[in-house]
Amino acid sequence: GQSLEQPSEVTAVEGAIVQINCTYQTSGFYGLSWYQQHDGGAPTFLSYNGLDGLEETGRFSSFLSRSDSYGYLLLQELQMKDSASYFCAVSVGGDYKLSFGAGTTVTVRA
Amino acid sequence: NAGVTQTPKFRVLKTGQSMTLLCAQDMNHEYMYWYRQDPGMGLRLIHYSVGEGTTAKGEVPDGYNVSRLKKQNFLLGLESAAPSQTSVYFCASSPIGQGAGYTFGSGTRLTVV
């Protein structure tokens, strides 16, 4: 099976930078994805890393190190609307199914 | 575009009753998935489908059945509901391609009493 570890909670102030780490143990690893979920609503896709390195999408960046089985999501210039749960997920095997971590609740304070 | 639509949004069942959750997507995606989400446990894969007429078991398939008779629809059935199946159920779809990302529905909140 797969196991993923990410912190359960992070709190930061508006304008700050937050890094959410994700470590994983799995076989047949294809890539690492990140999803955002507000208040139990539909999770939304943020990013995918299939190769080592940094992927940047606006204020959010994601990093992967396959040799370390580690990745992170970087949230910059935090805004109140970034308060949400963030899930890392590993893609295993060739049929694109994802295994999710337990999620990190990010709280942004004024 | 509607994306992924789940019905119903809420349901209360008595132990032993059966029900079907419907998921419909209008993006012509090949792959569809059913997940359940419980507090503190993230999303766990129940069943998935890699195309019309195909289904496969995920991480927690016991007590559930699925069917994908049409490409746009993916049904999740509970034959005899149990309190342990109280959860929020999310359907998702994706095109072919590892980095494509899932599109999720808004969820079905099911309570079994």
Side-chain angles (χ1 to χ4, degrees), chain A residues 34-36 44-48 57 60 62 73 75 86-87:
Chain A
W34 290 91
Y35 286 78
Q36 179 191 60
T44 56
F45 173 67
L46 292 177
S47 67
Y48 173 80
T57 308
F60 294 178
S62 58
L73 179 70
L75 289 65
Y86 293 83
F87 296 87

Side-chain angles (χ1 to χ4, degrees), chain A residues 30-31 33 35 37 39-45 48 87 91 93-103, chain B residues 31 33 35 37 40-43 45 48 50 88 90 94-102 104-106 109:
Chain A
Y30 271 73
S33 300
Y35 286 78
Q37 184 182 38
D39 299 324
T44 56
F45 173 67
Y48 173 80
F87 296 87
S91 178
D95 51 10
Y96 313 116
K97 60 181 186 290
L98 296 178
S99 290
F100 285 80
Chain B
Y31 289 68
Y33 314 85
Y35 285 84
Q37 185 175 30
M41 297 187 73
L43 294 118
L45 181 64
Y48 65 102
V50 300
V88 181
F90 286 101
S94 73
I96 295 173
Q98 286 289 352
Y102 287 8
F104 279 88
S106 58
R109 283 147 183 82

Side-chain angles (χ1 to χ4, degrees), chain A residues 14-37:
Chain A
E14 272 187 300
I17 299 173
V18 160
Q19 180 173 316
I20 303 171
N21 297 321
C22 176
T23 58
Y24 58 88
Q25 289 185 322
T26 187
S27 57
F29 175 84
Y30 271 73
L32 185 70
S33 300
W34 290 91
Y35 286 78
Q36 179 191 60
Q37 184 182 38

Side-chain angles (χ1 to χ4, degrees), chain B residues 36-64:
Chain B
R36 60 178 289 173
Q37 185 175 30
D38 302 295
M41 297 187 73
L43 294 118
R44 292 182 293 167
L45 181 64
I46 304 171
H47 287 280
Y48 65 102
S49 168
V50 300
E52 181 179 313
T54 75
T55 62
K57 294 181 179 180
E59 182 186 358
V60 288
D62 293 343
Y64 306 95

Side-chain angles (χ1 to χ4, degrees), chain A residues 40-104:
Chain A
T44 56
F45 173 67
L46 292 177
S47 67
Y48 173 80
N49 293 73
L51 301 174
D52 285 359
L54 191 68
E55 295 283 341
E56 298 180 83
T57 308
R59 294 186 296 112
F60 294 178
S61 303
S62 58
F63 172 83
L64 174 65
S65 169
R66 297 172 73 106
S67 61
D68 295 322
S69 297
Y70 163 77
Y72 67 73
L73 179 70
L74 193 70
L75 289 65
Q76 302 180 78
E77 301 173 17
L78 275 178
Q79 302 176 8
M80 298 298 288
K81 67 179 181 180
D82 298 329
S83 292
S85 293
Y86 293 83
F87 296 87
C88 59
V90 292
S91 178
V92 177
D95 51 10
Y96 313 116
K97 60 181 186 290
L98 296 178
S99 290
F100 285 80
T104 299

Side-chain angles (χ1 to χ4, degrees), chain B residues 17-31:
Chain B
Q17 286 184 321
S18 63
M19 78 165 294
T20 300
L21 283 68
L22 171 65
C23 177
Q25 54 98 0
D26 61 2
M27 298 168 287
N28 201 36
H29 286 170
E30 288 293 329
Y31 289 68

